[in-house]
């Protein structure tokens, strides 16, 4: 009964979502403020994440906690589909691929802090965003603490440490970022197709080995119409991954048209939303594509205090769009409700959120910006970050969630 009530207004909730998307699209076209397209990109991103419950932290933890690889596979599907989409966008001249540089020390230190913090927080940055929108108190506490961790690195006493670590950069032979293409000599498109073929082959083999048995005739329950079923029921992680991968190119084009040459990311959007709410930014900035190396070296670098607190509107609008998108997805599935948590869990989640924020800032991104988008751009540094995050997540999961210990041979 409760579920039917929660999903009984699915048509109305769906219409609200469609009206939101249509209104932002019309406003962007009418005003030519293409930064407004970040709102529908964020809305759909939050919707897809919530429908698939596709949080990076839980995806990694569940591998050793429940021997469940489905969410990890969902993330991988999003990455591979994004790779193919970026290859098409690059060939068509819609986007200019901009993989991140190899800041190896940032990715190791930041990734380790981020991975442990994500377990304590119960989610990564995007995971806490969509879980907060549907009423998870732990995620709300973690999300509120994240800007303090990010700000500690961006504006606080850890900024000098961040700059020092960032100076230890490894470049490719041509002076650009180290990527799978620079390491193998293969083109981005060739590698993207190769990853897609290998993924499809692995899926075909796994499906053949675990082919589901057919149910007897008449044993299956009548299913609701496909549209209603898609809107009111949770999605499988790979389905959410497909949807996010298909969204990735639109988000990249939207970001690029707004002056920011990078795909989806949420870490600094969370920080900058907090800056807008609690401070008066001294400078509003639309990020531009990176300057040529010679120009970048020639430009004098101002101290962090003189630069002011930057606000990249595209990132802020993506974060703001994710919240209603995730809420509507949760409401359609009957999952949008306040979830009380024990006080000690909320405190631990807030500590984890602080660590997630600090780690993401040190590593210049989170699961979305560094793993989903970074792996899709085939940045070698992002693969290093991802490996460190996964390993540290597993260690924290073993000790914190599974109650593991170290056997020193004592009886």
């Amino acid at each position: 009964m409760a579920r039917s009530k929660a999903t009984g207004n699915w048509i109305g909730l769906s219409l609200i979502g469609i009206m939101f998307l249509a209104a932002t699209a019309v406003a962007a076209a009418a005003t030519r403020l293409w930064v407004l397209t970040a709102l529908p990109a964020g809305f759909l991103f939050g919707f897809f994440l919530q429908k698939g419950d596709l949080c990076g932290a839980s995806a990694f933890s569940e591998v050793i906690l429940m021997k469940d690889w489905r969410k990890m596979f969902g993330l991988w599907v999003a990455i591979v589909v994004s790779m193919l989409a970026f290859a098409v966008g690059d060939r068509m001249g819609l986007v200019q691929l901009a993989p991140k540089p190899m800041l190896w020390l940032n990715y190791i230190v930041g990734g380790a802090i981020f991975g442990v913090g994500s377990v304590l927080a119960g989610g990564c940055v995007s995971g806490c965003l969509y879980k907060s929108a549907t009423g998870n108190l732990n995620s709300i506490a973690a999300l509120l603490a994240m800007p303090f961790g990010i700000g500690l690195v961006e504006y606080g006493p850890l900024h000098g440490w961040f700059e020092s670590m960032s100076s230890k950069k490894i470049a490719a032979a041509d002076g650009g970022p180290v990527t799978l293409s620079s390491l193998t000599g293969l083109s981005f498109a060739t590698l993207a197709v190769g990853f897609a073929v290998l993924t499809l082959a692995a899926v075909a083999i796994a499906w053949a080995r675990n082919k589901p048995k057919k149910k007897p005739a008449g044993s299956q329950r009548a299913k609701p119409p496909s549209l209603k079923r898609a809107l009111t029921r949770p999605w499988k992680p790979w389905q959410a991954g497909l949807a996010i991968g298909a969204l990735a190119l639109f988000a990249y084009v939207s970001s690029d048209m707004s002056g920011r040459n990078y795909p989806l990311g949420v870490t600094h959007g969370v920080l900058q939303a907090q800056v807008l709410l609690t401070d008066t930014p001294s400078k509003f900035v639309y990020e531009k594509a990176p300057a040529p190396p010679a120009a970048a070296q020639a430009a004098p670098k101002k101290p962090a205090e003189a630069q002011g607190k930057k606000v990249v509107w595209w990132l802020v609008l993506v974060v703001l769009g994710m919240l209603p998108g995730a809420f509507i997805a949760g409401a359609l599935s009957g999952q949008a409700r306040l979830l009380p948590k024990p006080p000690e869990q909320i405190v631990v989640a807030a500590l984890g959120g602080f660590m997630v924020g600090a780690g993401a800032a040190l590593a210049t991104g989170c699961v979305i910006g560094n793993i989903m988008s970074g792996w899709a751009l085939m940045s070698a540094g992002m693969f290093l970050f991802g490996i460190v995050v996964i390993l540290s997540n597993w260690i924290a999961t073993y000790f914190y969630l599974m109650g593991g210990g170290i056997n020193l041979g004592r009886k």
Side-chain angles (χ1 to χ4, degrees), residues 48-179:
F48 297 152
L49 284 175
Q50 202 288 327
K51 294 300 288 184
D53 193 19
L54 208 53
C55 169
S58 59
F60 306 146
S61 291
E62 288 176 11
V63 171
I64 64 169
L65 194 61
M66 297 184 289
K67 304 296 187 288
D68 189 342
W69 288 81
R70 287 176 296 177
K71 290 182 183 177
M72 279 274 279
F73 180 67
L75 283 175
W76 178 248
V77 169
I79 290 166
V80 172
V81 175
S82 297
M83 283 181 182
L84 293 172
F86 294 165
V88 171
D90 181 48
R91 288 295 180 92
M92 295 179 64
L94 297 175
V95 294
Q96 181 182 0
L97 303 182
K100 290 186 179 182
M102 172 62 91
L103 307 178
W104 62 271
L105 189 55
N106 294 69
Y107 302 147
I108 292 173
V109 175
I113 297 171
F114 181 93
V116 173
S118 68
V119 175
L120 301 180
C124 56
V125 181
S126 58
C128 287
L129 273 165
Y130 80 77
K131 292 176 186 178
S132 293
T134 52
N136 188 308
L137 280 180
N138 282 358
S139 297
I140 293 171
L143 185 62
L144 291 174
M146 283 177 193
F148 295 98
I150 305 170
L152 191 70
V153 176
E154 291 290 318
Y155 314 127
L158 291 184
H159 187 76
W161 192 32
F162 168 77
E163 292 285 350
S164 176
M165 288 195 296
S166 300
S167 66
K168 297 171 173 56
K169 180 169 69 173
I170 299 176
D174 60 358
V178 182
T179 64

Side-chain angles (χ1 to χ4, degrees), residues 300-367:
K301 194 169 187 180
K302 298 179 182 179
E305 297 80 7
Q307 292 177 0
K309 294 182 178 180
K310 297 181 180 179
V311 174
V312 181
W313 286 105
W314 192 88
L315 290 171
V316 173
L317 294 181
V318 164
V319 168
L320 295 181
M322 285 179 67
L323 296 174
F327 173 77
I328 288 179
L332 286 168
S333 303
Q335 297 171 324
R337 57 188 181 276
L338 191 64
L339 297 176
K341 299 288 183 179
E344 61 273 16
Q345 280 192 20
I346 295 176
V347 172
V348 171
L351 173 62
F354 179 85
M355 293 178 64
V356 165
L362 287 171
T364 73
C366 60
V367 169

